[in-house]
Amino acid sequence: MTDRTEMSAYEVRVFEPEFPLNLDVTLSCGQLFRWKKQDDTWQGVADGKLITLRQDGRQLHFSGCSEAFLISYLHLDCAPEDIVSGFCCDTHITDAVSRTSGLRIVRQDPWECLISYLCAQNANIPFITRMIENLCHAAGESITAPDGTVWYAFPTPDALSALSLEEKRGCTLGYRAPYIHKTAAAIAVDPGWADRIRKLPFEEARRVLMAYPGIGPKVADCVLLFGFQKYESFPVDTWMRMIMHRLYGVGDPEKSFTPAEYDRIRRFAQERFGPYAGYAQEYLFAIRESYANGKF
DNA sequence: GTATACCCTGACTA
DNA sequence: ATAGTCAGGGTAT
């Protein structure tokens, strides 16, 4: 703490984003697993750094990163009208948007995103959060906050692939451990993997992702949406199955969830909502409980 | 194309 | 209290 730059990195600054933002909804809607809210301040590690965020009306108080990073990370570099006009097409969506306005799809690091959603298969949000915390603790760089609290960065591909399969199992990954083991090993020796995928058109990028062990349609679609900003991606989980059936009569949640059924639902959504179908998905997902309760 | 068993953990019920 | 059931994606057959 004698280093002045270390201290100034945690200095709290303020800026007013050009476009509206709902920070609470954005950080708690289930797209991210590493942000915690204490009192009115969010803390999390992104880009290898400990960052704090607090929203006060239109102002964003922040420390640990640059303003430019936040504008990119929180997708604050484009107007909400431009996004909404790219998927909004009926009263269901208009209603969902008005109930959760200011929701942003965060630009996640592709590597962290891929491993996180590999953890996410067959798990709920608290469980996923635990698995990722365990991985960070086991293989991530430690970061000491000014108050002495120790945080951990998300492990690099090298650090994660250096962790043995047994150590990974110790992170409560369960049967996901071998998937993560193999995929991390493949990526650690292939630094260009993300740039290649980024340049591919949607369906091809999807096929490439699904070739990694443990990555099926749902995980691939999440990584394309949250890690690669392919906003036409429309991940379908059991919630979206229920919602799409209730709102549009597509698919049948009573029947078994076959790959063909998955494709039917996501293709319907991509055609109906268009190039920002993924944003429609997030808005619907954010108020999923109300559809389950029949309140919509 | 589709059905089924299996992987693992946590939450819930009996 | 402990056993049983179920949810939740991906894979192999």
Side-chain angles (χ1 to χ4, degrees), chain A residues 151-253:
Chain A
W151 296 71
Y152 292 90
F154 195 84
T156 62
D158 277 341
L160 192 56
S161 73
L163 211 62
S164 72
L165 183 56
E166 288 317 303
E167 287 170 309
K168 287 193 180 76
R169 282 201 179 274
C171 294
T172 61
L173 304 178
Y175 67 88
R176 303 160 195 81
Y179 296 154
I180 291 166
H181 198 61
K182 288 180 202 157
T183 297
I187 287 178
V189 297
D190 180 18
W193 75 282
D195 286 333
R196 285 203 311 278
I197 291 175
R198 203 189 315 278
K199 286 178 194 141
L200 293 174
F202 181 75
E203 295 294 338
E204 281 179 53
R206 195 169 188 265
R207 253 176 271 127
V208 171
L209 277 175
M210 284 173 62
Y212 289 106
I215 301 190
K218 166 71 191 328
V219 172
D221 286 339
C222 288
V223 176
L224 289 166
L225 182 58
F226 303 126
F228 289 101
Q229 293 74 52
K230 305 237 180 227
Y231 295 115
E232 68 267 56
S233 179
F234 193 90
V236 183
D237 67 349
T238 49
W239 286 100
M240 289 313 298
R241 249 188 118 186
M242 178 270 292
I243 293 168
M244 293 303 288
H245 175 72
R246 289 205 166 186
L247 297 187
Y248 302 104
V250 61
D252 183 358

Side-chain angles (χ1 to χ4, degrees), chain A residues 22-295:
Chain A
N22 186 331
L23 186 67
D24 283 346
V25 169
T26 298
L27 297 183
S28 67
C29 71
Q31 58 178 322
L32 293 155
F33 306 101
R34 300 214 66 206
W35 287 92
K36 283 184 195 147
K37 195 180 188 185
Q38 284 178 336
D39 304 317
D40 54 0
T41 301
W42 288 94
Q43 281 189 291
V45 180
D47 199 27
K49 295 178 292 240
L50 176 61
I51 295 169
T52 68
L53 292 173
R54 181 171 67 83
Q55 183 165 29
D56 179 13
R58 297 186 54 173
Q59 293 191 321
L60 207 50
H61 300 246
F62 68 102
S63 74
C65 64
S66 68
E67 187 180 313
F69 173 80
L70 283 182
I71 289 171
S72 168
Y73 185 66
L74 298 173
H75 199 195
L76 292 171
D77 47 10
C78 80
E81 310 87 79
D82 294 339
I83 299 170
V84 171
S85 66
F87 70 84
C88 204
C89 58
D90 60 44
T91 55
H92 298 310
I93 294 297
T94 312
D95 180 55
V97 170
S98 70
R99 288 211 254 163
T100 322
S101 69
L103 168 61
R104 294 283 171 159
I105 292 181
V106 171
R107 280 195 181 91
Q108 297 186 35
D109 172 65
W111 155 251
E112 176 171 342
C113 182
L114 184 144
I115 298 299
S116 298
Y117 282 89
L118 223 28
C119 292
Q121 71 173 59
N122 260 8
N124 54 31
I125 292 166
F127 185 29
I128 301 162
T129 303
R130 245 190 75 201
M131 289 189 266
I132 294 171
E133 268 173 15
N134 291 340
L135 278 178
C136 292
H137 190 88
E141 292 280 323
S142 68
I143 303 167
T144 305
D147 68 358
T149 334
V150 180
W151 296 71
Y152 292 90
F154 195 84
T156 62
D158 277 341
L160 192 56
S161 73
L163 211 62
S164 72
L165 183 56
E166 288 317 303
E167 287 170 309
K168 287 193 180 76
R169 282 201 179 274
C171 294
T172 61
L173 304 178
Y175 67 88
R176 303 160 195 81
Y179 296 154
I180 291 166
H181 198 61
K182 288 180 202 157
T183 297
I187 287 178
V189 297
D190 180 18
W193 75 282
D195 286 333
R196 285 203 311 278
I197 291 175
R198 203 189 315 278
K199 286 178 194 141
L200 293 174
F202 181 75
E203 295 294 338
E204 281 179 53
R206 195 169 188 265
R207 253 176 271 127
V208 171
L209 277 175
M210 284 173 62
Y212 289 106
I215 301 190
K218 166 71 191 328
V219 172
D221 286 339
C222 288
V223 176
L224 289 166
L225 182 58
F226 303 126
F228 289 101
Q229 293 74 52
K230 305 237 180 227
Y231 295 115
E232 68 267 56
S233 179
F234 193 90
V236 183
D237 67 349
T238 49
W239 286 100
M240 289 313 298
R241 249 188 118 186
M242 178 270 292
I243 293 168
M244 293 303 288
H245 175 72
R246 289 205 166 186
L247 297 187
Y248 302 104
V250 61
D252 183 358
E254 304 291 303
K255 291 197 293 195
S256 73
F257 199 20
T258 61
E261 175 87 337
Y262 185 102
D263 248 41
R264 212 171 294 131
I265 298 168
R266 75 129 175 141
R267 286 183 189 282
F268 173 91
Q270 288 177 323
E271 271 199 28
R272 184 172 185 94
F273 301 131
Y276 282 85
Y279 256 97
Q281 194 265 7
E282 279 305 286
Y283 275 105
L284 293 171
F285 189 80
I287 54 167
R288 58 195 178 281
E289 304 281 358
S290 68
Y291 298 110
N293 300 332
K295 292 185 200 121

Side-chain angles (χ1 to χ4, degrees), chain A residues 3-24:
Chain A
D3 189 341
R4 285 174 42 116
T5 55
E6 275 291 306
M7 290 299 288
S8 64
Y10 291 113
E11 179 195 334
V12 176
R13 284 165 288 161
V14 188
F15 88 107
E16 196 169 305
E18 193 181 343
F19 303 115
L21 164 73
N22 186 331
L23 186 67
D24 283 346

